[in-house]
Amino acid sequence: MTVALPLSPDHLLDAPLPQLLAETGAEIIDSAIPDRDFFGAAVQRKNGDVLLAMPAGRSELEHETMARYLLAQVFDVDLPKLPAPFTTTEI
């Protein structure tokens, strides 16, 4: 199932994460980056699918929060910026 884009902030924040991942064509993979200040990265493939590279071993709250925030960045969903020390960089 795919969700009509653009995603609403309410849907992005309220939908169960597995449902949100399926709707957006996103997949979470473990990142090999060992830096404790790294919270995740999103890559949108040419076919529209999204890879979320997330550090393993983090709390469920951090994992869910960062996955949703990264999806918001990819799909241009208007959410408030994360507080310091979090930063995002678009390449």
Side-chain angles (χ1 to χ4, degrees):
M1 167 171 49
T2 57
V3 69
L5 297 177
L7 288 171
S8 73
D10 287 341
H11 185 71
L12 185 97
L13 296 173
D14 294 337
L17 186 58
Q19 174 187 334
L20 189 60
L21 294 171
E23 291 173 349
T24 58
E27 175 185 0
I28 295 176
I29 60 171
D30 286 339
S31 170
I33 297 173
D35 186 344
R36 293 198 43 78
D37 292 334
F38 176 74
F39 293 93
V43 177
Q44 189 165 24
R45 296 176 172 169
K46 289 181 183 180
N47 68 0
D49 289 349
V50 176
L51 283 179
L52 301 178
M54 308 285 294
R58 303 284 176 94
S59 73
E60 183 177 345
L61 176 62
E62 179 183 316
H63 188 77
E64 284 236 357
T65 301
M66 294 312 297
R68 291 172 191 279
Y69 190 77
L70 289 170
L71 287 173
Q73 297 299 300
V74 169
F75 292 104
D76 199 27
V77 177
D78 187 25
L79 291 181
K81 300 244 183 260
L82 291 174
F86 298 99
T87 61
T88 56
T89 304
E90 188 172 332
I91 299 175

